[in-house]
Amino acid sequence: MNPSALIADDEPLLAEYLKAQLANLWPELQIVAIARNGLEAIAALHEHEPDIAFLDIGMPGLSGLEVARSAHGCHCVFITAFDQYAVEAFDRDAIDYLLKPYSEERLQRAISKLQDKLASQQPANNGALLESLRLALGGIGPRNTPQRLSWIRAGQGNEVKLIAINDVCYFHSADKYTTVVTREGEYLIRTPLKELLEQLDAEQFWQVHRATLVNVRDIAEARRDFTGRVTLTLKSRPEPLVVSRAYVHLFKQI
């Protein structure tokens, strides 16, 4: 009998992308349901009793971690936007994780691990990883722990693109949209700068203007003119960025 799986992710495009990848890499795997939130995931677990569940940690309502507590006898693979250094602390033999945006090679490794477990008829043991996750987060449950972005979904025309946070040169807010600027181009998101600040690494992204967040790693030069105004030159973009007076103190050593 072919193994079965549930996919739970509140991002429909990512759920369909994972489904397509699994169809290519593991054609024998039967996807019995795609859930859009934690409550739908639990209902699907009870209805279909899948062998495997791919669970997004950051779903609304109930997180993937909370859903996993109800996934008795089911091998859970977490899908998460945590930074690599944090996710590595969660890796255990009994369960796996996929860090967004994950590569096909990384998914293949997860599939191989799951196939080995199913072949050896090892029972699922989600509790060990759940506790590891809790401890790695300083003992705080997932609902109270802000998750740092490691990727962002942005639009360009009629297309939607997944952009690694490290590839972002800067964010610029205007009207109802925020522009995500990379070396390759510009993309639009609806997330305001205030929300982005709460999810970005404060050591990597600095606010240099009420409408601009810059990736510090992409700053090539900060120059101050005779009026005291600071202008930034980037490594990956030709346009300069002006630092407003409220944030000039960040560059006081120049």
Side-chain angles (χ1 to χ4, degrees):
M1 184 174 180
N2 290 337
S4 59
L6 158 72
I7 296 174
D9 197 317
D10 62 324
E11 296 284 355
L13 289 176
L14 296 181
E16 290 296 331
Y17 179 64
L18 175 57
K19 181 181 178 181
Q21 285 185 303
L22 290 170
N24 179 49
L25 298 174
W26 195 357
E28 298 81 15
L29 183 67
Q30 180 184 3
I31 305 300
V32 293
I34 295 180
R36 296 170 295 179
N37 55 56
L39 293 177
E40 287 187 9
I42 287 180
L45 284 171
H46 288 254
E47 178 180 355
H48 300 285
E49 297 183 350
D51 302 299
I52 300 159
F54 294 89
L55 303 174
D56 179 21
I57 285 183
M59 291 186 294
L62 295 175
S63 72
L65 299 180
E66 292 167 313
V67 172
R69 296 189 178 98
S70 300
H72 305 298
C74 178
H75 296 285
C76 292
V77 176
F78 289 129
I79 306 170
T80 174
F82 280 111
D83 287 337
Q84 181 70 33
Y85 74 89
V87 181
E88 286 177 353
F90 313 156
D91 196 12
R92 296 293 184 273
D93 289 339
I95 205 166
D96 209 345
Y97 70 88
L98 295 172
L99 176 68
K100 300 176 182 179
Y102 50 85
S103 65
E104 184 175 290
E105 179 184 2
R106 181 64 186 88
L107 177 58
Q108 182 62 70
R109 295 210 316 268
I111 288 173
S112 297
K113 185 180 292 187
L114 288 166
Q115 289 173 331
D116 289 344
K117 290 182 185 301
L118 292 173
S120 62
Q121 295 298 310
Q122 293 182 21
N125 180 18
N126 300 317
L129 185 73
L130 290 172
E131 179 62 15
S132 299
L133 282 162
R134 189 186 69 81
L135 293 175
L137 295 172
I140 301 175
R143 281 182 174 273
N144 300 322
T145 303
Q147 296 186 14
R148 286 181 180 172
L149 289 174
S150 57
W151 65 277
I152 198 162
R153 186 168 64 91
Q156 187 182 56
N158 294 324
E159 297 183 355
V160 175
K161 182 179 177 65
L162 287 177
I163 302 170
I165 286 298
N166 288 338
D167 292 337
V168 176
C169 302
Y170 65 93
F171 296 94
H172 182 74
S173 179
D175 298 324
K176 298 180 181 179
Y177 296 93
T178 298
T179 303
V180 183
V181 183
T182 70
R183 180 193 297 268
E184 289 78 20
E186 300 180 5
Y187 310 86
L188 294 178
I189 60 175
R190 291 184 178 270
T191 308
L193 289 189
K194 182 179 179 181
E195 290 186 22
L196 283 172
L197 275 171
E198 296 173 353
Q199 301 175 71
L200 294 170
D201 184 347
E203 294 186 2
Q204 182 178 358
F205 284 88
W206 290 2
Q207 185 161 14
V208 296
H209 188 278
R210 64 181 178 82
T212 307
L213 303 177
V214 65
N215 187 342
V216 177
R217 299 173 185 174
D218 203 54
I219 296 176
E221 182 183 27
R223 179 172 297 179
R224 188 191 303 268
D225 65 17
F226 69 93
T227 67
R229 186 179 70 168
V230 175
T231 302
L232 304 178
T233 301
L234 303 181
K235 300 174 183 177
S236 305
R237 297 288 303 186
E239 65 273 14
L241 296 182
V242 176
V243 179
S244 67
R245 293 192 179 278
Y247 301 100
V248 167
H249 66 277
L250 296 172
F251 304 92
K252 60 183 179 181
Q253 295 182 350
I254 67 171

